[in-house]
Amino acid sequence: MTKLDAWLKSGEYLPHILRDFHDQKDVFKAMHETINVEEHDYSKKVDWITGQCYVIDVFLWFMARRGYTLQRSRAKQEFVSLSETLRKSEDRHMAALKAMFERESP
């Protein structure tokens, strides 16, 4: 195995938030909920699972093999907080789950 292959296999080319599969799921589910994909002709046909697999396993891997990695912008902007977006998404999921259990209770 080459040094490059080992680096790619380790996942170190990914931002920390995307190195863990479960964290990836959270990001892609939140993105799919936050962006109205139904209004985009091309993205309304892509569920969050397919998007996650393509972006992580195909696109970012392909680009990293060629020396490009995704990284946080250094631009002086007031960016939307990813951690806050993920927290709000988790809160929505938990509220929906709670409501489901309350409906099912005798």
Side-chain angles (χ1 to χ4, degrees):
M1 179 181 294
T2 68
K3 187 176 175 182
L4 175 59
D5 290 332
W7 179 70
L8 290 167
K9 186 174 181 169
S10 75
E12 290 180 33
Y13 64 93
L14 294 169
H16 284 282
I17 189 67
L18 296 178
R19 290 183 187 172
D20 176 78
F21 173 75
H22 299 290
D23 292 339
Q24 290 173 12
K25 285 188 342 185
D26 293 342
V27 169
F28 280 83
K29 283 193 291 188
M31 179 178 66
H32 206 76
E33 291 173 352
T34 304
I35 308 276
N36 184 359
V37 296
E38 294 301 319
E39 291 184 7
H40 296 94
D41 287 336
Y42 54 91
S43 64
K44 68 181 171 185
K45 299 172 188 164
V46 179
D47 59 45
W48 69 265
I49 298 167
T50 304
Q52 174 187 355
C53 293
Y54 184 82
V55 170
I56 301 295
D57 298 338
V58 178
F59 177 72
L60 292 177
W61 181 91
F62 174 88
M63 296 301 287
R65 188 158 185 82
R66 285 143 185 87
Y68 295 89
T69 58
L70 183 64
Q71 61 185 355
R72 183 149 171 82
S73 176
R74 294 181 184 94
K76 302 294 183 202
Q77 299 293 328
E78 291 185 32
F79 294 106
V80 175
S81 167
L82 179 57
S83 59
E84 182 67 15
T85 300
L86 296 175
R87 187 192 61 73
K88 286 179 180 178
S89 177
E90 179 64 19
D91 289 350
R92 284 190 301 272
H93 291 160
M94 294 308 285
L97 187 60
K98 181 181 177 187
M100 182 183 75
F101 282 126
E102 287 173 352
R103 283 192 304 272
E104 296 294 323
S105 295

